PDB file of all heavy atoms in Angstrom:
ATOM      1  N   PRO A 109      27.703  26.555  -5.190  1.00  0.00           N
ATOM      2  CA  PRO A 109      28.965  27.304  -5.072  1.00  0.00           C
ATOM      3  C   PRO A 109      30.165  26.394  -5.314  1.00  0.00           C
ATOM      4  O   PRO A 109      30.187  25.247  -4.861  1.00  0.00           O
ATOM      5  CB  PRO A 109      28.944  27.810  -3.618  1.00  0.00           C
ATOM      6  CG  PRO A 109      27.516  27.743  -3.190  1.00  0.00           C
ATOM      7  CD  PRO A 109      26.916  26.601  -3.935  1.00  0.00           C
ATOM      8  N   LEU A 138      49.554  43.138 -17.292  1.00  0.00           N
ATOM      9  CA  LEU A 138      48.183  43.611 -17.075  1.00  0.00           C
ATOM     10  C   LEU A 138      47.948  44.958 -17.752  1.00  0.00           C
ATOM     11  O   LEU A 138      46.900  45.181 -18.378  1.00  0.00           O
ATOM     12  CB  LEU A 138      47.907  43.728 -15.577  1.00  0.00           C
ATOM     13  CG  LEU A 138      47.449  42.475 -14.835  1.00  0.00           C
ATOM     14  CD1 LEU A 138      47.391  42.740 -13.337  1.00  0.00           C
ATOM     15  CD2 LEU A 138      46.086  42.008 -15.342  1.00  0.00           C
ATOM     16  N   MET A 164      39.743  24.989 -12.509  1.00  0.00           N
ATOM     17  CA  MET A 164      40.103  24.191 -11.343  1.00  0.00           C
ATOM     18  C   MET A 164      38.943  23.336 -10.841  1.00  0.00           C
ATOM     19  O   MET A 164      39.155  22.275 -10.240  1.00  0.00           O
ATOM     20  CB  MET A 164      40.595  25.104 -10.217  1.00  0.00           C
ATOM     21  CG  MET A 164      41.953  25.727 -10.453  1.00  0.00           C
ATOM     22  SD  MET A 164      43.306  24.527 -10.415  1.00  0.00           S
ATOM     23  CE  MET A 164      43.306  24.064  -8.684  1.00  0.00           C
ATOM     24  N   VAL A 176      29.677  44.953  -2.152  1.00  0.00           N
ATOM     25  CA  VAL A 176      29.513  46.300  -2.704  1.00  0.00           C
ATOM     26  C   VAL A 176      29.134  47.246  -1.558  1.00  0.00           C
ATOM     27  O   VAL A 176      28.594  46.825  -0.531  1.00  0.00           O
ATOM     28  CB  VAL A 176      28.430  46.336  -3.805  1.00  0.00           C
ATOM     29  CG1 VAL A 176      28.901  45.603  -5.046  1.00  0.00           C
ATOM     30  CG2 VAL A 176      27.112  45.724  -3.296  1.00  0.00           C
ATOM     31  N   VAL A 194      26.124  42.170  -0.620  1.00  0.00           N
ATOM     32  CA  VAL A 194      26.851  41.178  -1.408  1.00  0.00           C
ATOM     33  C   VAL A 194      25.957  40.748  -2.559  1.00  0.00           C
ATOM     34  O   VAL A 194      24.801  40.344  -2.350  1.00  0.00           O
ATOM     35  CB  VAL A 194      27.259  39.948  -0.560  1.00  0.00           C
ATOM     36  CG1 VAL A 194      27.980  38.923  -1.424  1.00  0.00           C
ATOM     37  CG2 VAL A 194      28.140  40.364   0.601  1.00  0.00           C
ATOM     38  N   ALA A 203      34.500  25.870 -23.388  1.00  0.00           N
ATOM     39  CA  ALA A 203      35.777  25.383 -23.916  1.00  0.00           C
ATOM     40  C   ALA A 203      36.411  26.371 -24.891  1.00  0.00           C
ATOM     41  O   ALA A 203      37.636  26.393 -25.050  1.00  0.00           O
ATOM     42  CB  ALA A 203      35.570  24.033 -24.597  1.00  0.00           C
ATOM     43  N   GLN A 215      33.039  43.203 -17.410  1.00  0.00           N
ATOM     44  CA  GLN A 215      32.621  44.603 -17.448  1.00  0.00           C
ATOM     45  C   GLN A 215      31.099  44.725 -17.348  1.00  0.00           C
ATOM     46  O   GLN A 215      30.568  45.564 -16.619  1.00  0.00           O
ATOM     47  CB  GLN A 215      33.133  45.258 -18.727  1.00  0.00           C
ATOM     48  CG  GLN A 215      34.642  45.438 -18.763  1.00  0.00           C
ATOM     49  CD  GLN A 215      35.135  45.899 -20.118  1.00  0.00           C
ATOM     50  OE1 GLN A 215      34.690  45.405 -21.163  1.00  0.00           O
ATOM     51  NE2 GLN A 215      36.038  46.848 -20.122  1.00  0.00           N
ATOM     52  N   ASP A 231      17.426  39.459   1.119  1.00  0.00           N
ATOM     53  CA  ASP A 231      16.126  39.441   0.445  1.00  0.00           C
ATOM     54  C   ASP A 231      16.169  38.554  -0.789  1.00  0.00           C
ATOM     55  O   ASP A 231      15.242  37.780  -1.048  1.00  0.00           O
ATOM     56  CB  ASP A 231      15.717  40.869   0.050  1.00  0.00           C
ATOM     57  CG  ASP A 231      15.398  41.737   1.257  1.00  0.00           C
ATOM     58  OD1 ASP A 231      15.004  41.177   2.299  1.00  0.00           O
ATOM     59  OD2 ASP A 231      15.555  42.963   1.163  1.00  0.00           O
ATOM     60  N   ALA A 323      49.346  35.056 -23.946  1.00  0.00           N
ATOM     61  CA  ALA A 323      48.653  34.553 -25.133  1.00  0.00           C
ATOM     62  C   ALA A 323      47.845  35.665 -25.795  1.00  0.00           C
ATOM     63  O   ALA A 323      47.624  36.736 -25.215  1.00  0.00           O
ATOM     64  CB  ALA A 323      47.734  33.395 -24.750  1.00  0.00           C
ATOM     65  N   ASP A 324      47.430  35.390 -27.022  1.00  0.00           N
ATOM     66  CA  ASP A 324      46.526  36.306 -27.714  1.00  0.00           C
ATOM     67  C   ASP A 324      45.205  36.354 -26.950  1.00  0.00           C
ATOM     68  O   ASP A 324      44.700  35.313 -26.517  1.00  0.00           O
ATOM     69  CB  ASP A 324      46.287  35.804 -29.145  1.00  0.00           C
ATOM     70  CG  ASP A 324      45.485  36.793 -29.972  1.00  0.00           C
ATOM     71  OD1 ASP A 324      44.292  36.983 -29.681  1.00  0.00           O
ATOM     72  OD2 ASP A 324      46.047  37.362 -30.917  1.00  0.00           O
ATOM     73  N   VAL A 344      51.361  11.405 -13.099  1.00  0.00           N
ATOM     74  CA  VAL A 344      51.720  10.288 -13.964  1.00  0.00           C
ATOM     75  C   VAL A 344      52.299   9.173 -13.105  1.00  0.00           C
ATOM     76  O   VAL A 344      53.308   9.371 -12.434  1.00  0.00           O
ATOM     77  CB  VAL A 344      52.759  10.713 -15.026  1.00  0.00           C
ATOM     78  CG1 VAL A 344      53.111   9.539 -15.928  1.00  0.00           C
ATOM     79  CG2 VAL A 344      52.203  11.872 -15.840  1.00  0.00           C
ATOM     80  N   VAL A 375      38.892  -6.927 -40.999  1.00  0.00           N
ATOM     81  CA  VAL A 375      37.798  -7.789 -41.457  1.00  0.00           C
ATOM     82  C   VAL A 375      36.498  -7.068 -41.175  1.00  0.00           C
ATOM     83  O   VAL A 375      36.264  -6.597 -40.060  1.00  0.00           O
ATOM     84  CB  VAL A 375      37.798  -9.159 -40.738  1.00  0.00           C
ATOM     85  CG1 VAL A 375      36.598  -9.989 -41.187  1.00  0.00           C
ATOM     86  CG2 VAL A 375      39.094  -9.909 -40.981  1.00  0.00           C
ATOM     87  N   ARG A 379      34.398  -8.775 -46.261  1.00  0.00           N
ATOM     88  CA  ARG A 379      35.553  -8.035 -46.790  1.00  0.00           C
ATOM     89  C   ARG A 379      36.760  -8.202 -45.858  1.00  0.00           C
ATOM     90  O   ARG A 379      36.638  -8.140 -44.638  1.00  0.00           O
ATOM     91  CB  ARG A 379      35.224  -6.546 -46.916  1.00  0.00           C
ATOM     92  CG  ARG A 379      34.079  -6.234 -47.862  1.00  0.00           C
ATOM     93  CD  ARG A 379      33.687  -4.771 -47.770  1.00  0.00           C
ATOM     94  NE  ARG A 379      34.771  -3.881 -48.163  1.00  0.00           N
ATOM     95  CZ  ARG A 379      34.771  -2.564 -47.935  1.00  0.00           C
ATOM     96  NH1 ARG A 379      33.748  -2.011 -47.291  1.00  0.00           N
ATOM     97  NH2 ARG A 379      35.780  -1.827 -48.340  1.00  0.00           N
ATOM     98  N   LYS A 427      49.438   9.628 -41.429  1.00  0.00           N
ATOM     99  CA  LYS A 427      50.600   9.698 -42.316  1.00  0.00           C
ATOM    100  C   LYS A 427      50.879  11.122 -42.793  1.00  0.00           C
ATOM    101  O   LYS A 427      52.014  11.448 -43.153  1.00  0.00           O
ATOM    102  CB  LYS A 427      50.404   8.755 -43.501  1.00  0.00           C
ATOM    103  CG  LYS A 427      50.486   7.283 -43.093  1.00  0.00           C
ATOM    104  CD  LYS A 427      50.230   6.348 -44.256  1.00  0.00           C
ATOM    105  CE  LYS A 427      50.399   4.889 -43.817  1.00  0.00           C
ATOM    106  NZ  LYS A 427      50.222   3.937 -44.928  1.00  0.00           N
ATOM    107  N   ALA A 430      48.932  15.100 -39.405  1.00  0.00           N
ATOM    108  CA  ALA A 430      47.834  15.802 -38.745  1.00  0.00           C
ATOM    109  C   ALA A 430      47.262  14.932 -37.628  1.00  0.00           C
ATOM    110  O   ALA A 430      47.527  13.736 -37.532  1.00  0.00           O
ATOM    111  CB  ALA A 430      46.740  16.151 -39.759  1.00  0.00           C
ATOM    112  N   LEU A 537      46.643  -7.019 -24.076  1.00  0.00           N
ATOM    113  CA  LEU A 537      45.619  -7.549 -24.983  1.00  0.00           C
ATOM    114  C   LEU A 537      46.057  -8.834 -25.675  1.00  0.00           C
ATOM    115  O   LEU A 537      45.250  -9.483 -26.349  1.00  0.00           O
ATOM    116  CB  LEU A 537      45.275  -6.486 -26.043  1.00  0.00           C
ATOM    117  CG  LEU A 537      44.665  -5.184 -25.502  1.00  0.00           C
ATOM    118  CD1 LEU A 537      44.502  -4.174 -26.623  1.00  0.00           C
ATOM    119  CD2 LEU A 537      43.325  -5.452 -24.835  1.00  0.00           C
TER     120      LEU A 537
END
Side-chain angles (χ1 to χ4, degrees):
L138 275 173
M164 289 291 292
V176 290
V194 178
Q215 291 172 317
D231 291 334
D324 187 292
V344 181
V375 177
R379 299 172 62 193
K427 290 177 177 183
L537 297 174

